[in-house]
Amino acid sequence: MKKSSARMSSSEATPKRKLLITGLVLVASIGAIVTMVWNARPAPAGGRQSAPAEAAHEAAPPQPTDTTQSSTKVSRPGMKLAAFEPTKPNAQPHPEKMPTGMVWIPGGEFSMGVQTPVDVNNVGMQATVDSLPVHRVYVDSFFMDKTDVTNAQFARFVKATGYVTVAERKPRAEDFPGAPPENLVPGSVIFTAPDHPVPLDDHFQWWSYVPGASWRHPLGPKSSIAGQDNLPVVHVAYEDAEAYAKWAGKRLPTEAEWEFAARGGLAGKPYVWGDEFRPNGKWMANTHQGNFPNSDTGSDGYIGIAPVAKFPANGYGLYDMAGNVWEWTSDWYRADYYQHLAAEGVARNPQGPDTAFDPSEPGDTKKKVHRGGSFLCTDQYCSRYMVGTRGKGDVDTGTNHLGFRCVMTLSQWQAAQGGISGQASHGR
């Protein structure tokens, strides 16, 4: 298969900047047609959520020229692959009182990254090239939301504050130089499955900028979140997630915090639940089945996005740390960041690099790390439901497969308990 010379990360839909400038904007009526067709479809057994029926894939990350690969291992010349070592959780007991809807993450020292992908780098997105080398990291203890922030929770925030998301604002011409004025309308990026198989080197065939799409209208202006309170909120840009977190007395997790929590106390496992993708034939996460990108069979019980907590929790009691929707972290994205961390020995509470750099788009300096994969991930083209793998996305780009969850430090919780912060319980 022909490979694109400038692939994007698995988590990254085409940034809306590209769609607005190139003119690949679906008119509102087309978005409405897509929505009406989906809503008219009978729901298969096992329950469904209103997302594009053929929800499929994400685009692939850069392929650095100094990277060699095989079907079982990825390494860079001169890079020594470190072994996974046991996780050493802190012994500090969790507080007697816990924030509603959150779980205690003990923190401690762990091995971060991916070492030996199991035949996953022969698919389109080269899932592990930016997740090397494995390195030791220490993080303090913290609380984390059990689930992604839901539509109901985000709606309470918007009602209390009057907040308007990035997708609901008219794009400014100065932020999108070269975009035709008629394209500068509020909207967001949506996955729309083609009706036939397509080459996997052209993400424009399944990503579109849809006027009127937003967290309230996830599939376009005629769609709605009515009756979907327990679905993850989507179409949230980075500043939207930050605004919610601040209102709730929380913050977004660092990439290191996110991975420590996702591993649930396990070390070196490819999935948040262990070694096998489907232990004893059981689906453990909401991912894509069928031919990507044109057909999702829904074998895991869901075509498209699922309500939160429909699959088993990990060892720390966290739901959907793999699949369903990607999650924002607070770290800037650099493909070479782990090489720098590994040189530090044990990195303590890393906050990410000072600036972003994506070798596939050197001029784009505003990308943050995404984690967890989504309902679009598949071993045909995206395997970033594997714990340790990384995604990336422009801070101004929300999509219908990207959400977030928050964390809270013990000091934040103690301050809230003492009445210093009145917002900490608002998010739940």
Side-chain angles (χ1 to χ4, degrees):
M1 178 180 296
K2 178 182 176 182
K3 293 184 178 180
S4 169
S5 61
R7 292 191 177 277
M8 296 186 307
S9 135
S10 68
S11 63
E12 184 183 22
T14 304
K16 69 179 182 181
R17 178 182 63 261
K18 291 184 177 180
L19 293 169
L20 290 173
I21 293 173
T22 57
L24 293 176
V25 178
L26 293 181
V27 297
S29 60
I30 295 178
I33 291 172
V34 171
T35 301
M36 288 187 290
V37 169
W38 167 248
N39 287 339
R41 293 182 57 178
R48 282 293 174 277
Q49 116 84 3
S50 62
E54 288 78 19
H57 214 278
E58 1 233 348
Q63 301 177 47
T65 56
D66 64 341
T67 299
T68 59
Q69 64 182 30
S70 70
S71 62
T72 59
K73 183 178 293 185
V74 173
S75 63
R76 293 187 175 93
M79 179 185 293
K80 182 179 179 181
L81 293 183
F84 276 93
E85 298 177 20
T87 295
K88 300 176 182 178
N90 291 327
Q92 179 184 8
H94 67 74
E96 292 184 6
K97 292 186 177 180
M98 303 274 286
T100 303
M102 304 189 85
V103 297
W104 176 248
I105 309 299
E109 185 180 316
F110 75 112
S111 293
M112 183 173 178
V114 172
Q115 176 166 279
T116 308
V118 186
D119 295 333
V120 297
N121 277 325
N122 286 340
V123 298
M125 53 154 290
Q126 305 298 300
T128 67
V129 295
D130 59 356
S131 302
L132 295 168
V134 174
H135 54 286
R136 294 295 281 180
V137 173
Y138 172 88
V139 295
D140 290 330
S141 55
F142 57 97
F143 299 101
M144 185 176 237
D145 290 342
K146 289 181 180 179
T147 71
D148 295 287
V149 173
T150 65
N151 286 326
Q153 292 164 345
F154 199 79
R156 288 198 289 271
F157 157 63
V158 170
K159 182 177 181 180
T161 64
Y163 185 82
V164 177
T165 64
V166 170
E168 296 170 293
R169 308 172 202 164
K170 181 180 178 179
R172 301 185 306 173
E174 56 266 37
D175 294 332
F176 300 94
E182 62 270 20
N183 286 358
L184 297 177
V185 295
S188 192
V189 177
I190 291 180
F191 170 86
T192 305
D195 61 4
H196 60 281
V198 297
L200 300 183
D201 59 357
D202 181 11
H203 48 267
F204 288 114
Q205 298 202 50
W206 55 83
W207 288 111
S208 300
Y209 184 84
V210 178
S214 70
W215 75 276
R216 301 176 192 270
H217 307 289
L219 298 180
K222 298 298 182 180
S223 66
S224 170
I225 58 171
Q228 298 179 355
D229 283 355
N230 288 329
L231 270 61
V233 66
V234 292
H235 294 297
V236 283
Y238 184 78
E239 68 180 79
D240 303 330
E242 269 198 320
Y244 174 94
K246 182 177 180 180
W247 170 79
K250 305 176 184 180
R251 61 173 173 80
L252 297 179
T254 66
E255 186 179 14
E257 288 172 333
W258 195 98
E259 184 168 328
F260 183 94
R263 289 191 176 278
L266 301 177
K269 303 298 183 181
Y271 309 109
V272 300
W273 53 84
D275 289 309
E276 297 181 23
F277 183 61
R278 293 184 63 193
N280 299 316
K282 184 176 182 178
W283 292 104
M284 301 296 288
N286 181 22
T287 59
H288 177 271
Q289 301 88 50
N291 189 66
F292 172 75
N294 58 294
S295 177
D296 183 351
T297 63
S299 298
D300 59 8
Y302 296 91
I303 295 174
I305 196 172
V308 299
K310 291 299 183 180
F311 294 85
N314 77 351
Y316 289 149
L318 298 167
Y319 293 93
D320 304 316
M321 295 299 280
N324 212 25
V325 295
W326 284 93
E327 300 177 13
W328 286 108
T329 73
S330 61
D331 286 29
W332 290 111
Y333 173 82
R334 285 191 65 97
D336 61 355
Y337 180 51
Y338 284 10
Q339 297 176 55
H340 296 288
L341 282 185
E344 298 179 10
V346 178
R348 295 188 64 85
N349 294 310
Q351 302 297 302
D354 294 333
T355 58
F357 180 73
D358 181 355
S360 71
E361 294 184 297
D364 188 344
T365 59
K366 295 183 178 180
K367 290 184 179 180
K368 293 279 188 175
V369 175
H370 295 166
R371 280 305 199 105
S374 80
F375 65 84
L376 300 180
C377 281
T378 163
D379 59 7
Q380 297 170 34
Y381 186 56
C382 163
S383 52
R384 296 202 177 196
Y385 41 64
M386 290 175 58
V387 66
T389 56
R390 313 169 73 204
K392 58 188 175 183
D394 285 64
V395 294
D396 65 357
T397 301
T399 69
N400 67 321
H401 75 332
L402 173 61
F404 69 102
R405 75 179 73 209
C406 300
V407 297
M408 178 188 288
T409 64
L410 181 59
S411 60
Q412 283 178 306
W413 174 235
Q414 290 171 337
Q417 289 292 97
I420 298 174
S421 169
Q423 302 295 325
S425 62
H426 288 179
R428 295 289 168 181

